[in-house]
Amino acid sequence: MYQLLKQIAKTGIVTEPAPLPDAALRALEQRLGELILKHFGRALAIRHVDAGSCNGCELEIHAMNSPYYNLEGLGIKFVASPRHADMLLVTGPVSRNMETALRRTWEATPDPKLVVAIGDCGCTGGIFGESYASCGRVSNVIPVDVAVPGCPPTPVAILQGILTAITPGRK
Amino acid sequence: MSRAFKELGLDATPLAAATPAFCTSIPAGELRGICEQARARKARLVALWGSDETTRRAGHALHLALAFPAGLLWVSVPLSREDPHYPGIADIYPSANRMQRAAADLLGIIPSADADRRKWLRHGAWPEGAFPLRKNVEAGARFAQGPDRYPFVPVEGEGVHEIPVGPVHAGTIEPGHFRFSIVGEKILRLEERLGYKHKGIEKRFEQMTLEEGAKLAGRVSGDSTVAYAWAYAMAVEGATGTEPPRRALALRGILLELERIANHLGDLGYLGNDVSLSFGFFQFWRLKEDLLRTHAQLFGHRYLMDAVVPGGVAKDLPPAAGEALAERLARIEREVATLKSIYDEHAGAQDRFIMTGQVTPELAERMGLTGLAARASGVARDLRVDYPIPPWQQLDPRAASHTRGDVAARIAVRFDEVFESMRLVQALVRQLPDGDIRAPLGAAAAGARGVGWVEGWRGEVLIALDVSGTGRIHRLHPHDPSWQNWPLLEHAVHGNIVPDFPLINKSFNLSYSGVDL
């Protein structure tokens, strides 16, 4: 126990400041009113859906949970069910085998909801493109508010996309 | 060395490859006999896949990669176009079950003797009777989305009930379906259903040149991008007669070990998290983030994607950068040592780790468990040790090993491997040979074959490449060790309680994308 406490004390606080929103990431105009956004800004529940990625984007979503980014300090929390979520964070080209599951997850998320597509594949279909097995980009299946490019996008870029989605702004 | 295969009655031709590899062709009638003899000689099944050879005025073919002490044997079994049946081998090599079913879904080549003929990769995206990997299916083809019914094996009895989980899970992980049959809290049976991430990777490869394929290979399973990119490069270099410079090989060694360290650090953090030791999560993910930032600084990418290219590597490591890397690793190593002693002495965590999710050495051997999970179950195999090609040759890498096969053993193996990989990187940085980092690719002969075989952090990654008449990819099968290990997870959870499943699952940390393809 002593060693554990010592390690915590020695580590200190490593959290870095959060990035600013970037309107260039918008795919759709902000649909939510200021009042709702104010609430989201302090308590945003996110459900992640991997719709067919290579798992690269998931690595960066995990990394976003490291103490460097201190998500919970920003009021952002990952939740276990779409029914508890305000936002879906979707990765991958949407595989045809995940198309139905993604639609159902989206339907299960209560309104008002936001969707952020993550990574080059989520934005455009990426290297996998569209095929007999892939529907391509996320917006081919569900409406996307903000799309964050990158292969994979860094935790800062993903965080920026999330913050953009809960900020008033035009496309 | 091909004499080793003479005893099997096989005429094996050596393949140009960095690791020892041979190929041979046998009629379908001899398949089971060869497999039985191979099994008796302790050869393991590395991969099984199919191909459409109708564009070469032939029928279809089944392919196997078997690992012998003498090297890898690529066995091809020509099948007729009209009746592409072959005698299944899942009773000899249990891990062949899902590979055979995947080949049946994609190419319509059928294991006739096997009881389990259920679909595997085909959910509703294409209908029964359509085979998307056949050459007569255009790359742009689309099928109408159909219904998807899958006959799970039912478990009946007093008090038994089912918990279906997924494909969308509660955590940030890849999609798959787990069907638990339980009594009270105890797991009686787990049946996995994967294939949700099938996005047509193998078909996509066939639209690419050898150069273009490198980027896709690095995205078969994102967490193993170096292992795949290296295996791909090795296969292409074999098929084109290209010899990568020694400096490039040493740099590849550094990249592969860095990938191993980064993944192990992340897993060690999550394993702490799964037993409510969130301290462990935050500490290990801080260290992992430090390492990822170092990767970005030195190699231009946090996960080292596209750093390994056919012919060599994309970016050099100048001496000053090498020193910075060694210094950063030494700092991380000291902290990992502290965290190890905290994990070791944490009674609450150890109580959850020890004897949870056990795979005995006997079971591991019988079912063909591979990679780090196998090394935790007494199967001391590691390609870096078993076939010590450059850059491993002079470094004398040590394979981690443990025999209990539980979550604690898989944690111990990860700690061992982190320290050993640190040693290897430091040694490689110190002894980096001079010279170029990339050699120009030669031309591939039509029908040339290449094999890439690399010990990634999860286990052995195989790339089997067959070049078309125009120098493009005729067929490429990327093989992830998760094919072998997923079925063992079903065994590992027997008799454990449902709440321990996430912990057991994480201790294997298998790839979905790598097997769904």
Side-chain angles (χ1 to χ4, degrees):
Chain A
M1 197 63 190
Y2 167 71
Q3 215 182 358
L4 190 149
L5 292 172
K6 192 175 137 198
Q7 179 71 11
I8 292 174
K10 211 177 83 189
T11 306
I13 293 170
V14 298
T15 305
E16 297 168 349
L20 292 171
D22 179 1
L25 299 172
R26 285 206 158 278
L28 287 177
E29 198 167 311
Q30 181 61 268
R31 292 167 296 159
L32 306 184
E34 296 238 4
L35 190 64
I36 291 172
L37 292 174
K38 210 171 130 202
H39 285 291
F40 274 179
R42 302 188 54 129
L44 182 72
I46 302 180
R47 172 67 253 168
H48 156 259
V49 183
D50 176 347
S53 79
C54 77
N55 199 28
C57 290
E58 279 61 41
L59 297 178
E60 289 297 46
I61 295 172
H62 289 302
M64 204 166 59
N65 285 295
S66 94
Y68 279 105
Y69 305 102
N70 189 13
L71 277 190
E72 298 216 2
L74 297 170
I76 299 169
K77 201 177 160 195
F78 281 84
V79 293
S81 164
R83 296 191 194 283
H84 307 157
D86 309 307
M87 176 187 285
L88 295 181
L89 200 59
V90 187
T91 64
V94 182
S95 70
R96 291 192 187 269
N97 287 350
M98 274 302 287
E99 190 181 347
T100 307
L102 176 61
R103 276 220 174 86
R104 286 189 189 162
T105 305
W106 186 79
E107 281 159 13
T109 310
D111 281 319
K113 59 192 159 201
L114 294 160
V115 176
V116 176
I118 297 297
D120 286 351
C121 299
C123 292
T124 67
I127 193 166
F128 305 104
E130 289 179 34
S131 71
Y132 76 92
S134 167
C135 306
R137 61 184 182 176
V138 176
S139 63
N140 288 349
V141 180
I142 56 171
V144 168
D145 294 278
V146 168
V148 184
C151 186
T154 61
V156 173
I158 298 173
L159 192 49
Q160 194 167 37
I162 293 170
L163 295 176
T164 303
I166 54 167
T167 308
R170 307 175 75 80
K171 197 192 162 188
Chain B
M1 278 223 253
S2 51
R3 256 181 300 143
F5 303 115
K6 282 261 159 50
E7 293 174 32
L8 293 168
L10 288 174
D11 206 8
T13 320
L15 278 169
T19 49
F22 306 83
C23 67
T24 190
S25 182
I26 60 167
E30 288 176 19
L31 175 64
R32 285 185 59 85
I34 297 285
C35 285
E36 271 159 9
Q37 285 187 59
R39 175 99 227 203
R41 285 173 168 74
K42 301 234 182 262
R44 62 186 195 278
L45 178 71
V46 178
L48 179 151
W49 69 100
S51 69
D52 179 344
E53 304 297 334
T54 53
T55 51
R56 290 171 166 171
R57 293 196 215 133
H60 298 282
L62 173 81
H63 305 272
L64 273 72
L66 295 165
F68 288 85
L72 189 86
L73 181 65
W74 177 343
V75 182
S76 297
V77 185
L79 306 173
S80 80
R81 191 188 298 220
E82 298 74 26
D83 182 31
H85 280 69
Y86 64 95
I89 57 161
D91 56 328
I92 305 169
Y93 285 112
S95 62
N97 172 294
R98 290 172 183 177
M99 304 178 207
Q100 290 180 163
R101 289 158 62 193
D105 287 348
L106 294 172
L107 284 151
I109 61 172
I110 313 289
S112 43
D114 272 49
D116 192 354
R117 301 251 295 262
R118 291 175 297 167
K119 60 184 187 170
W120 184 245
L121 293 180
R122 183 174 70 78
H123 290 201
W126 67 94
E128 194 170 1
F131 304 109
L133 208 49
R134 283 199 179 169
K135 294 287 183 187
N136 61 8
V137 175
E138 296 288 323
R142 299 285 189 283
F143 303 98
Q145 184 83 267
D148 174 31
R149 294 188 51 179
Y150 185 77
F152 286 97
V153 176
V155 178
E156 286 167 352
E158 204 182 313
V160 180
H161 66 275
E162 274 189 353
I163 312 178
V165 180
V168 179
H169 296 296
T172 301
I173 57 169
E174 300 184 83
H177 183 91
F178 299 115
R179 185 67 58 100
F180 295 95
S181 299
I182 63 167
V183 169
E185 280 218 300
K186 279 222 165 98
I187 301 169
L188 272 184
R189 188 174 198 282
L190 163 64
E191 187 172 354
E192 298 153 358
R193 190 188 183 203
L194 306 177
Y196 288 93
K197 300 191 102 175
H198 178 71
K199 46 193 177 281
I201 289 179
E202 289 173 295
K203 190 82 177 175
R204 191 85 187 82
F205 268 119
E206 293 177 14
Q207 297 158 253
M208 293 179 153
T209 63
L210 295 181
E211 301 250 0
E212 289 164 349
K215 192 175 170 204
L216 182 57
R219 284 153 185 82
V220 171
S221 178
D223 56 29
S224 303
T225 181
V226 176
Y228 274 94
W230 190 351
Y232 181 83
M234 218 185 244
V236 170
E237 285 152 10
T240 58
T242 310
E243 190 155 337
R246 287 190 77 85
R247 185 175 179 86
L249 292 175
L251 286 167
R252 285 176 181 179
I254 291 172
L255 295 165
L256 186 73
E257 296 314 306
L258 288 174
E259 176 169 273
R260 193 182 319 276
I261 296 169
N263 277 292
H264 285 358
L265 291 179
D267 284 350
L268 288 167
Y270 263 109
L271 287 159
N273 203 50
D274 282 346
V275 297
S276 302
L277 185 58
S278 52
F279 159 85
F281 175 83
F282 289 116
Q283 290 288 336
F284 275 108
W285 279 77
R286 176 177 59 84
L287 297 179
K288 181 173 180 182
E289 181 70 18
D290 288 343
L291 186 59
L292 297 178
R293 290 177 179 193
T294 310
H295 290 172
Q297 239 168 27
L298 303 182
F299 299 101
H301 195 284
R302 285 163 58 88
Y303 296 93
L304 309 169
M305 279 180 168
D306 309 317
V308 176
V309 290
V313 292
K315 203 164 182 308
D316 203 357
L317 187 72
E323 277 168 35
L325 176 62
E327 190 255 339
R328 171 54 59 96
L329 284 182
R331 232 170 42 203
I332 294 176
E333 187 172 1
R334 281 196 296 277
E335 295 217 43
V336 174
T338 305
L339 295 176
K340 181 174 187 302
S341 85
I342 292 175
Y343 268 38
D344 284 349
E345 285 163 26
H346 197 288
Q350 292 302 325
D351 182 49
R352 295 280 308 276
F353 294 155
I354 294 172
M355 296 309 284
T356 304
Q358 200 183 21
V359 176
T360 61
E362 299 73 42
L363 186 67
E365 193 72 53
R366 183 154 53 82
M367 298 287 289
L369 191 69
T370 185
L372 103 88
R375 292 194 283 278
S377 288
V379 184
R381 289 200 198 98
D382 186 321
L383 295 181
R384 296 170 302 166
V385 178
D386 301 342
Y387 309 96
I389 57 164
W392 314 120
Q393 247 162 2
Q394 284 93 38
L395 299 173
D396 201 13
R398 194 178 57 84
S401 146
H402 206 289
T403 50
R404 211 169 44 225
D406 54 3
V407 172
R410 288 184 284 276
I411 289 174
V413 166
R414 281 182 171 91
F415 272 118
D416 280 359
E417 293 190 351
V418 166
F419 294 126
E420 177 66 357
S421 294
M422 298 252 184
R423 181 184 77 80
L424 294 173
V425 175
Q426 307 270 18
L428 284 164
V429 168
R430 268 198 310 276
Q431 309 162 12
L432 209 51
D434 291 326
D436 293 332
I437 57 163
R438 196 169 181 178
L441 278 189
R449 283 181 174 192
V451 162
W453 198 19
V454 171
E455 189 73 36
W457 70 268
R458 196 179 265 124
E460 52 188 350
V461 167
L462 177 80
I463 297 272
L465 165 70
D466 189 342
V467 181
S468 77
T470 53
R472 298 173 76 89
I473 296 170
H474 168 73
R475 176 79 173 94
L476 185 144
H477 177 68
H479 192 89
D480 197 275
S482 305
W483 279 104
Q484 271 81 356
N485 290 5
W486 273 117
L488 265 299
L489 178 65
E490 294 180 341
H491 287 265
V493 299
H494 278 172
N496 286 262
I497 56 174
V498 178
D500 271 342
F501 173 73
L503 176 65
I504 300 167
N505 190 21
K506 195 73 210 174
S507 74
F508 283 89
N509 192 8
L510 302 175
S511 172
Y512 299 68
S513 183
V515 297
D516 289 351
L517 294 174

